[in-house]
Amino acid sequence: MDTDVSHDSERILRPRAYQIEMLEESLRRNVIVAMDTGSGKTNIAILRIAAELERCPPQKLVWFLCPTIALAQQQHDVLTIQLPAFQSRLLSGNDGVDRWSEQATWDDVLRNMNIVVCTHQVLLDALIHGFVQMTKIALLIFDEAHHCVRNHAAKRIMQNFYHPIRQERPDEVPGILGLTASPVMRKNPDGLETIEQNLNAISKTPKIHRDELMRYVHRPDMVVLIYPAGEAARLSSLRELNLLYSTLDIEQDPYVNMLRAENHKKYLQVLLSRKTYCQEQMKRLLRVAIEVNNELGSWTSDLYIYLCIRKFQAHKQSAFGVLEDMNVAEKSYLEKLFGCLQLRTIDMSRMLYDQDLSSKTIKLVAVLAREMYPGSAGIVFVQTRAAVKLLSILLMMHSSTKDILRIGTFVGTSNNQARSSYISDLINTNDQKETLNDLRNGTINLIIATSICEEGIDISTCNLVVCFEKPPNLKSFIQRRGRARSTKSKYIIMLPEGEENAAVEWQSLEAVMIEKYMDDMRELGELQKLEDQEEGHREFVVGSTGAKITLYDALQHLHHFCKTLPSAPYVELAPTFIFENHVVTDEISCRVILPNNVHSSIQEFCSVAMWKTQRLARMDAAFEAYVGLYHAGLVNNNLLPSPEYDDEIARCFAEVAKRPAKADINGEFNPWPSVAELWDSTSKVSSSIIKIRSSGETIQMKMVSPRRLPPISTFTLYLDAKITLQVDIDEETETVYDQKSIAIANEITRLFFSSAFPNRTKENGSGFPILFLPLDILDDPQTWLDSMKGTYSPNDILSGMSDPAVIGLIKDVSHGGKTFVFHGIEQNLQDPNETETPIHMKTLLKVKRLSKRVDFLHKVPLDAVPTTDEFTYLDPNRCIISRLSMSYSKFAMYIPSIMHRIEKVLLVDHACRGVLAPIELSSRRDVLCALCSPAAREEADYQRLEFLGDSILKTLTSIALMADHLLWHEGYLSHAKDHIVSNGRLALAAQETGLDKYILTSPFTGKKWQPLYNTDLLSAQPPPQRELSTKTLADVVEALIGAAFLDGGFPKALSCLRIFLPEIDWLPLTQRSETLLSVVPASNPSSSHPQNLRNLESILSHTFAHPLLLVEAITHPSHLSIPPTPSYQRLEYLGDALLDYLVTRAIWSHTTSSALTVPRMHLLRTAAVNASFLAFCALAHTLTLPIATLTQCLTPCRKRDRDQIHPVSLSNSTTALSLPLFLRHAPIPALASALRATRTRFDLLHPTIRTALDDNQDYPWRALAAFAPEKLVSDMVESVLGAVYIDTNGDLAVCELVVREFGILGWVEQALNGGGNLLHPKQEVGLMAGQERVKYAVWIEEEKVKKGSDRGSEVADDAGPCGKPDEEGEDKRGEEDLVLGKGRYRCRISVGEREVCIAQGWNRVEVETAAAEEAVRILGEEKKGRGEGEIDGTEA
């Protein structure tokens, strides 16, 4: 069997229909899959093994048997790559299996194993000695099943251990799967039946999908090439060797001398038989040399003798290798013999010509020179190992082939270590390890091989196969022919003259083959005629639109629907059709399996009628599928997969609304007119106490309003950069005020305003919305008011008639009425207004200028220069003093700030009683923050709440859509979510609900502040419309969602969403979770829990109550199973939102989060949920399983002392399992290789990334870019998270534990406490560049660049944002040596017109990041040199 899974199938992104046909047959019964080489039998085996291990008890094994060690090694490699979730073990004679004599050894070797690969003899011996029981095997696979005949170990396994148990306990024997390209090895017509009986299996070949199989199998043209027969002349070296051997004196042999000296009983026996080690060496060397001479020519035989003797001489001092079985005397004896030979001198550097070769070899050279064209590949089969080596040398030296052939060799390996002790063996099998890979990648184009390459070995598709000798039997003929499976390939058999009868025999076999092929083609032709004649009629009509689909339209519509499904790398979006022949009626039915992006309940459909042809059966199944998709809501009323005509789904698939940059919205809501209006309609007023506290004093005043004010929390007033005041407003009480009292209160309030803001206060202004009164005047406010009006002379202070403690503001009437604050009296000072020499000194007033500040709500910068700190001295005769004491004037200065705070509280109250009323919010502080844009310059704005609300919105929307649309695939869900959470939709929601009028955008500065008057407020016009960014509108909605969540968790967040996004039915999360869980298929209670799922549950630290959810979470879109399993895409869609929420919540709830800047919060979230970091966490979090490690004995030994070899030692070891290993995917080599490459890069970069993450260093953007994992790895993290959420009925606490298991939350918390730079280097460069343009030029440095060129081929300019490199843009060479700062990618970074640096890297993203990193260093040093500040990436 040939493991073509590695190349031809690279073009196949999922199993072919005939492979599924064979898989289903294997799941029903024991079968021998008989298919041509290159048809993908290994794919069938991989699918069958995965299916068996997912249903069998965990203690059972799959045992994969191969006829050779080389094939076993190869199949083990394939299974390890394609089924990484299952532990596999290769057993061979090289491991010393034949010396494992204790059950404990076998138990250790098989511990935690799922798959065992070995030769037949290894399993047979284990069964014979009772170390392995047939009942412990779940599935037994026979690769190259045609060997199960006669006395072969394969037959003995079945005959002695399988059939006896089957007769007594048929339920306890394993399933059987045979694989072969040639069911019979000889021309015995009963051979197939014998193999079937031996394997208790039925031979099956694709019948229903025969036409598809033939499209992938290409039979070569067979050519018989006759060459002249006859023995070639023997030249000097061969004659010399023959003469030397014929004249050997057995009495001189070292072994005979030893026996004679010991008087050993074997002496006479050996003397007569001449069977000594040295005799055997010489005999074998001569025999092979004669064979080479006859086959290849005299020059080649002389070359052979020369190479063998040179090899002996090079190794004669070594204890290992060729001479390890010889003692010193034997080595000396042979060395002396070879010294007697007069060998022909071989010039290895000269060019060969035909006269040096045999006629047979000349023919071969001519064929290869003619048939091997550029891009072709071939195999030459020879009989002996010596011919392999010598032909490879010969063809590389011959003038006709040396320039067109790049040659590799391949021979069998054996457990028989004696072979390496023969001088005559030139082949070193270590040199052929990369031969097959070299043929695949084009490094070589021809392999010279023995029969080992006939079967099983994974060889790339060839267009030429040459049999240098006649194939020994029918099996070899078929197997070798199968190697030539390219289109227009040739299969050449070389035969000597006189054996034309043999050619006739092969030609007759070829004629049978051609006749069978023509029979197949005739059958296909008849079917085609029948398909052209058979007709059918079915149609489906949508009543509302008149859209109609018929039997003949459905197939192309179904293909079109599949093309619209979410695409993914390595996935082919096409339906798969499976046919079934009904023997009784000779009719065909069909079922279609849609890609597993589609929900499993609508993934499979069957034709409803029986048909004569596959064509109509396929159409019928497609028709049923398309109608089913319509009823499931995935096809609209116009029978189109694109839902552009369906109102609900149209919103999902419409491009996310293109929001305009600005929108005209309502003017900012003014709450004061409604307050002013109440003064005319109420006799009851509300009063409260305002307390303004500083370190030294407390000012208390009464505040009166016509309505009860909402609670106002304590707030701060900032007098300067160092002094702050705390403002408390106590609870209100209701009081009855008559009109006279209200009028007095208005006058007192006017007095306050006139004192602090004389130029802003109207004398005739009527009424204020909020009134302020001193606390201690309530008994007689009129008297107090009268006493506080007007001014008095400073002389009253000088004469002691006025208390300095209650002195009011001082006005200098000589300088335009400037206002000052009294600070004392100074005696005997010169009047600053007198310029002449004073006659006498005066008493002056010590004052400071009254601050013009009105805004005390905003902090004063520490470096602000105070304008009122210097003392001024005034002449009392030029001043007047207000009767209103300074304490009241101070209070009056704070009134604008107090009124502004009250205004915002009233605005929030109005919003909470209006548009936000259904939420029943209790915390108004967060609502105020949510309504404040950064432009309003309030104490806090919406940005932090928007960070939280954005994640809440995404999470709730994802859950709601997934529960509402159980059949929608991830594509529909993502489009719907993107529309709902888009800024355009949220901005529209803010306008539709009237929320826009509550958004605060105007900053409070105090400069334009004026006292408010009721008459003006009652006659005021509605505020004019304003222009606002639509992103700001959307951000406010998200901030309100965050505020609602903080106020009452998800229930209140849902209430908020019902207001703004009514198109979704925002049901409670418990109800949503129950809906999602209700459609999860129930697991079969009688079925076992696969071991690989148990291991995965250990990794996740969660045991699934519904294991099928976990199966879905690890199923790649390429996977096709029987029965169908949906892919992980829906769960990944859900897990993406959940992960975002859990990380956001961790950042928000951390003790230091209040000190975090909003940009850093966003950077933290981006760093924690980006695909590269998630993939790193997935690979770093492992489960350790104990396994046994086999250690080969390295002690040299002689073949004559094999019984003294030390047994292979077993040591306890472990293997690490990580999440990506459990991915269920189609056997796609490209996908398996990509995952393996991801793992390789992880191993190399893990120390660098881990150190940076653990030590709070700068975030390792560059190393993660070099890591460049497959996105499906991070998708798996999110999909298992979605599966856990549904399995636990929406328990977010369990989800958080899973995320913590991967180390994601741990790093977030560590980063919150640390100060590492999270900015991406490209962002830093952009910030440093300012207004200058940053340009990235990327190119690939070629291996050989023309002289004078500094670059290779350019691949990119102006590179975009960070992301995964293009698939063809990765430098995949030398990944085992991946080191940051190396690689063949180059990036030149320029800022403006200046080139900053050039960097190297392994892919486009990494090299851009590397260049940006270096540019940051260079630009940073330059800025530092200029004394400029640096970019602080920890706070950005």
Side-chain angles (χ1 to χ4, degrees), residues 1040-1062:
L1040 283 171
I1041 296 169
F1045 176 79
L1046 293 176
D1047 195 70
F1050 284 116
K1052 286 197 175 181
L1054 288 167
S1055 297
C1056 186
L1057 288 172
R1058 293 186 190 106
I1059 296 170
F1060 295 109
L1061 299 169

Side-chain angles (χ1 to χ4, degrees), residues 300-337:
T300 316
S301 68
D302 284 356
L303 171 65
Y304 171 70
I305 296 170
Y306 168 76
L307 292 177
C308 288
I309 293 177
R310 190 172 70 174
K311 176 185 175 184
F312 169 82
Q313 293 170 343
H315 290 83
K316 64 182 180 180
Q317 301 302 325
S318 173
F320 298 93
V322 179
L323 307 179
E324 66 179 70
D325 283 329
M326 295 185 187
N327 57 37
V328 174
E330 289 170 334
K331 291 179 184 179
S332 300
Y333 177 68
L334 287 177
E335 185 178 11
K336 180 179 178 182
L337 290 177

